[in-house]
Each structure stands twice: as structure tokens, then as C-alpha cells.
Amino acid sequence: MKVKFVLNGVERDFEVKAGEYLLDTLRKHNILSVKKGCDASSCGVCTVLKNGKPVLSCSILTARCEGLSITTVEGEKAEVEKFYSYFGAEGADQCGFCNPATALTVIAMKRELKNPSESAIRQYMVGNLCRCSGYVAQNKAILNYLEDQS
Amino acid sequence: MKTVNKAIPSVDGLGIMLGRPAFTDDLADVSSLIVKVLRSPHAFARIKSINKEKALNLSGVEMVLTHQDFPRKPFTRAGQGYPEPSPHDKFVLDEYVRYVGDEVAAVVAKDEETAEAALALLDVEYDILEPVLNYQEAMDHKAVVHPEPEIHEMFPIGFEPKRNIAAAYGMDFGNLDDAFSESDVIIEETFTTQAQAHVMMEPHTVNARLDVQNRLIIYSSTQTPFHVRRILSQALAIPMHKIRVIKPRVGGGFGGKQAIHGELLVAWVTYKTGKPAKMVYTRKEVFESSYTRHPMTLKIKLGATKSGKLKAIDWYVLSNTGAYGEHALTVFMVAGSKVLPLYNKVDAARFHGHVVYTNHTPAGAYRGYGAIQGNFALESAVDILCEKLQIDPIVFRRKNMILEGETSPVFEIMGEGTEGTAMNMETCKLDYCLDKGLELIDWKNKYPRVPLENGKIKSVGMALAMQGSGIPYIDMGAATIKLNDDGFYNLTVGATDIGQGSDTILAQIAAETLDVPIEKVVVYSSDTDLTPFDVGAYASSTTFVSGNAVYKAARHMREMIVKEAAEILDVDTSEIVFGGDVILVKNSEATISMRDLSNRITYNEDQKQLTATSSYYGTKSPPPFMAGFIEIDIDPETGEIDIVDYVSVVDCGVPINIKLAQGQVEGGIVQGLGMAHFEVVKSSSKGQLITNDLLKYKIPTSADIPKLTTAFAKSYEDSGPYGAKSVGEIGIDTPPAALANAVYNALGVRITDLPITSEKIILALQNKKNKESH
Ligand code: FES
Ligand code: FES
């Protein structure tokens, strides 16, 4: 079937199978920032922005994306670069498998929350699992970014 | 220092955050055949027959592989140097399956759906056998996990498969009987540690294709590309020169990717069909069919004098390696070898034990590698001993712990599967780590406990730890540095960046030595065709072993450049001053820029390519040390624990990259807290894994960890590159004992069985109450 949605600012047609998930459609179309980390919607590394809100692309059928706007880090280059300058400065990145998803979630949080507290930040990020970093350096980088850039 | 000991952002961090193709599956051929494995539903069974007709008749199915398709040659997937200290007890596919999740057969199909459908069409008849599920009863059990005659050890490791013993070892020094009889206080306790899952975010994955020279090109998410090449060649009888293993970016390993996983099947499919193929483990497969940490039972007996001198340590360990013996001997030995030397002044010690086979998911390498299990036992036992002695545990540790300039007989006696290497602690700042940690956690105002207004109890607990820096005389790393026209360098290393940042820190070492900004050193790891050898990322070896190789290569490159410059400027080499971007002559105006020099030797005169390759193996393994302190608020009604802060003070020599070293420590702490507090691999009474997804196996989230305080001791290890020791594992070791000690300090109950959950605490409190009322 055919589905039309806006991917990173450009309206595009996608030919998809009935049960196809957005994660697979995106990776098939060379959007490789979205990763697959689990089979039970429980790791967060497949996060994309659906009309600006973070969602798990592994649990959304592409067929249901008709007319929506889907954003990945490929479509947020400038903002990601800004965020990374804080992230890299804290040494918050290790393997990086979770980092595109982290960046998108943080960018969405910046647009959604006004001056979030540290614990609000940690709560917002709770679905973005990271096995490498121990989170604290990441949270510090996020806080610095939000304080400076909001 | 211009580059080393600075907080330089990762060389590849931004590109990865921007989603550029970097990981193994990002680089798979789009037309790859999909390889999927049928996994055993039984803990132990013999395969009577596999009917592949129906699967093969399905359109889009390329082949079905069973044990009949492979040479019957045992090997080990452990991913260690050769010959391995692990038994050769695994076949690519076998007629026996030894745990729920073990490989029965593989299907190869044009896409995922077809492969899944083909799996469902395989008809397998099993002869179900009685499994060995309780490792306490595994030794001399009537069921034998490995009855097959072909399996063997590579050198003596105590391998007795007929008794379900994968490995055994024992050592002692001093006179144990005397030391105990001279002790005023003796304690004995048994500790148990659980299987922990690695849960790296990127599942195991591999893909393969043939190149124009008809060679196998394998992209693998591995910690050990060179070992993968060797094991593939040995197990599949494919000539080694026909295999190239490329390790792209790896999405976390923690030891789980030291061993090999889908590589054998995928390589075989491409080799046989000529077509690209790939395999990506599902998360369920990662949990069920990769590896866990070895569960252990550790019986420990300590003796000390009234004045607080530790006299004797007697220690028996039983370790469960599951269905296969990957790392069986060495992980168990490290429980002693990287823990016992902490208390080097004992008169006598014994360490012995067995590693047994069971019908569970195999255990393998996992960050900490036995030291975390051993640390939990010894550092808990020391607090128990101090309680009985009525001596402050800090005072006791100060008196008995290892100090700079000292040694321990254990270093010489115990290596990894072999004898060890005697060494003195040229750097050991445990005294500083201890003092600084006490200050940072504000021990004196919180120890042992402070009742809070909300009814909770605040308490603190601590533990000391050590690890190693590679395996002396075994682990080798190499580096090549090439000077390019325009005056920049390539650094190629076999060392394997798996997310720990080794590309960045190795580039820092080269940049510092060549006196250029890090941008001028383009680093690449690792590729068995293009980069020099390195054992890979394990045993905390990279900073120390591979870092020393990079340092040597960069020094060599400097010498070559000085020689070229001396010729060009027509002076003696002793007159040359190497200034990085520019070469000067002492007391002279004469200079040449690196750009001009490199362009000249590339294009204009006396043309040549300058390349320096150096390698390094340690003749010792200087241990990093740390003191870890936890502060918790615990609810005495529910046993619920809030982790308030975790203070780590670490002596890893000079941290090459301050922030990345901190990341290694903190990542380790949080993984260790997971093990200490709630992570546990659970299976049913039939051996089925219960915790097979991230909902049932919880790892720490951002909400669990409010604060970590990490500091480094000032320390300079002469044998390390720019004074560095390694730092990849040390962080994980202390949380279990520190938490157990804090819980005891709060409530007076001692949890000896990991993880330390609220339920266990409540139960222990009830038991204590019952006892007191009797
Ligand atoms: S892949 Fe894990 S939540 Fe989507
Ligand atoms: S950096 Fe590796 S999972 Fe987050």
C-alpha cells in the first residue's frame, strides 16, 4: 500500500507492507539513525518525533503515518550539532547507539517544557535506556543545553 | 601536556549522533540473505531428526543448515588468545542441545518473514534428557552435560567433563592452620552472586559478503576482530587469508561481544552461496542465547588478631559456566587474583574451587570478570569481621590494605589460566582514594546511620577494589602511524573501540607525542586486513597495552621525521627541534614546516612514505585501584532503597581523557549498582528463561541515578603511556559490597545473596526480629 507523510520536512510517498513498522520503513529508506534495540517497545533507541512528539518507531505502523510529520536527527542537523557541543563536552557519549534517540527526545523536551527541573529531565528521559553512560553526565549535558539554549 | 589529560570530545561522537552509517547493520548489503536460528525449547535434549523438507519447499528459502552440514570439530567461541584457557567444547551445530535457546538448526531465506515462516516449518524430534539446572548439584550429577568424546582442553585447566567440571584450580601460600590458630577472631560466610545480563543496546549482529577476490568480508559487532578471524578459520576450515573481519562502530559490549555469536553461520552461508547474508539477534536472543555473568557461590573464612591484623583468608568458589565453558577458568580465577591482593599483608591464604557445567545459558566474559563477584564476598566479609572485632572498618582497611611500593604473592602465583607475574605496585593511591572518598561522602556525619524525619534511615557503606591493565606476556596491541602529504597522520590500530572511546584516547596519545592537534591524527579501528594486530577490547587492556603501542609508534615516527628534517636542513639530527607543525634547528633561523616536509618527500625530492609500526605487550599489569562509597536512604518498613550518591575515587594513573575516563567509571558504577540492587537473570524450574525482554529484565534508567561523584587520585604510572593505567572495568567492582555494607549499617541485617532487593531486606529484618524475640 501507499502511504504519504512528511519525512524530515519533505513530503514523500512510501510503498509499504500491511504490517510494516515505521522503524523498518525508515531504515529501508536509508534513515539509519533510528536503531532497533528490542522487540518489546522498551529501549527507546528507535525514537522519532511524530508531529514533534517523541514516539517509538518500532511500535507505529507506517500505514498509520498518513499525513503526519516524522522527524529524525537527519532532519534536525543544526539543533543536534548545538546539543552535541554540550554532550561531547561532558563526555556523555560512549557507544552512541542510543544517542540519536537521546538527541531527539531532548530537542522535543526543549520545545515542550519550560525550565524543567533536574528530576523532571530525568523523568522525561526515562524511556531512553543507555547501558554505557550511567546517565549523570548525559543529564548534566542536557541541563546545560536547556539552560543555555532555551 | 596539550592533548593528554584533557577533556576532548570523542572524535566520532557528533557523526554518530547525527545518525551517519556507523554500526554493523548500517553497513549490511541491502540484498543480504537473512539467517535465523531455530532455538531449543528444551534445556537438554538429543536431536533425533530434523525434517527440513517443508521449510526447503517454501519459496524464498535458500538453505537449511543442521549439524550434519558442518565439520565435527570442537572449538571455543570465547574470543581469547591462542591457545585458549577455555575448553574446546562447542560445535557450530551439534546433535545435542544444552540449554533453552541453544542452536538446533539455521534457516536462510530472502527476507525476515520467509525466514520466520521457514523456522515454523522445521520438524524436529527430540529425545528429551534430564537437565542439570542447579549448579550446586552439578558436580558428579548423573546427567552429564558434555558426554561427547571429541571435546578437550588446550592445556591443563582441570577439565573433567564426565563430572560436569569445566575447570578447576587451587593455590595457597603461607601456613593456613597456623594463621587461623593465631587469630583471635574468625568469621565464615557464604555469598552468592547471580547471573547478570550484559544488555548492550546494540544486539549482536554480523553480515558477510564476498569481494572481487572471492574473499569473505565480514562486518561484525565484536570486541575481538582478530580472534573472530582465527576462530572462523579454525572452526569452518576456511583458509585464514580468505577472511577479512571489519569491526565497525560497536554499540556496547561489556565483555558480551568478546565471544563470537552469529559469525560462524553467516560466514558459512556466504562462503557456500556466494551471496551476502546477515543476522541480527532479537533482544530475546541476546538474553537467551548469548552470555551472562557467571553466577558464583563464594565461601570465605577470615582470621584476624584483636589488634586488627588480618592473618588469613581461606576461600572456596563454585562457579556456574552454564552449557559451555567460555571463560570458565579465568573468570573464576580473577575472583581471587584481582581481589586477594587488596589485603597483601596476610600470613596465609588459599583460593580454590570448581567451575561446573549446567543446562543454562552459557556464562562468559563480563566487565569485572570475576572481580565483582570476589569483591562482593571479600569486602562484605571484611565488614563482618570488623563488626566482630569491634574495629572501625576504615581503620581496619587502612591497616591491612595494599600500599604503593608493596606487592602480593598472589601476583606471581595467579595469572589468567596460567602462572602469574610478580610485580610491585609502582602506583597505588588507595590511601588517597580512601581519605578523599570519606570526605566527599561526608562519612563522619553519616556513618553508620542517621535516622531521617520522614522515617527513613540514611546510611553509608564502602568497599575497595582493584583490577588489572591487560594480561602480561599475553595481550599484545599494535599501531601504525603514517605521515601523509600536507602533514597529517593516519593512526590505524587493531584496538577495538566498542564505545569506551579508545579511538579518541589513542588519537590523543599519538597527537600528544607528535605535538599536533588531535584533528591531525585520523584514527581508524579495526580491520584485520588494514590495521595491525590487537587482541581486542577486554581485560582492561586498551589504554595500557594498545596505548603503549601507539606511544611507541608515535615516538618512532618522530625519529623518522627528525632524520628527514636533518637531511633536508643539512644539519645533524641532534640539532633538530621537533615542534609538531614545524621543525626547527637549535640556535638557527632554519626551519621547515611539517606541511612542506611531507609534501617534499611525497612529491619532490627523495620521495618516500614514512610509516611507523610498533607493538607492545605488558611485562606486568599495573592495577587501577578505587574506593567506592554509597549513600542510601532506606525505608525500614518496606526495605526500599533510594540511592542518594555514589562516590568513586579512582587511581587509574593519569586519565588520558578526563571526561571519558569519568564515563568509564560512572558507566561501570551504574552497571554495578544494577547488579547490586535488582538485576537478575531468572529461569523457570524447566530451565526456560523468564527474564527474556527489557520489561522483565530491568536495567537502571535515568530516573534511578540522581547523583554520582567521581574523582581521580593524582598518580603517574611509569610503565603506562603518559602515566596511564586502564580504567574500563574498575568502576563495576565496588557497588555490591558497598550496598550490602550500607544496608547493614542502616538496619543491622546482612544480605549475602545478590541482588540486594527490598524483599530480601524485609525478610532479613523479620528473621532478625524473630531471633531477637526468642
Ligand atoms: S526498538 Fe526498542 S523501543 Fe523501539
Ligand atoms: S552510549 Fe551506549 S547505550 Fe548509550
Side-chain angles (χ1 to χ4, degrees), chain A residues 15-45:
Chain A
E15 183 60 48
V16 301
K17 293 186 202 144
E20 187 170 314
Y21 286 101
L22 180 59
L23 168 60
D24 300 311
T25 310
L26 291 174
R27 284 195 67 87
K28 238 185 262 170
H29 287 85
N30 223 22
I31 300 289
L32 298 172
S33 63
V34 284
K35 314 287 188 203
K36 184 170 172 66
C38 70
D39 354 285
S41 313
S42 47
C43 74
V45 298

Side-chain angles (χ1 to χ4, degrees), chain A residues 84-85 98 105:
Chain A
Y84 184 77
S85 65
C98 66
T105 312

Side-chain angles (χ1 to χ4, degrees), chain B residues 20-38:
Chain B
R20 306 230 168 98
F23 295 90
T24 297
D25 197 45
D26 300 347
L27 306 170
D29 191 299
V30 285
S31 65
S32 291
L33 291 168
I34 303 297
V35 182
K36 282 212 168 278
V37 173
L38 181 71

Side-chain angles (χ1 to χ4, degrees), chain A residues 92-99 129-133 138, chain B residues 201 251-252:
Chain A
D93 48 337
Q94 289 192 32
C95 82
F97 201 69
C98 66
N99 286 352
L129 295 185
C130 174
R131 188 57 153 174
C132 300
S133 69
Q138 291 197 354
Chain B
M201 282 296 121

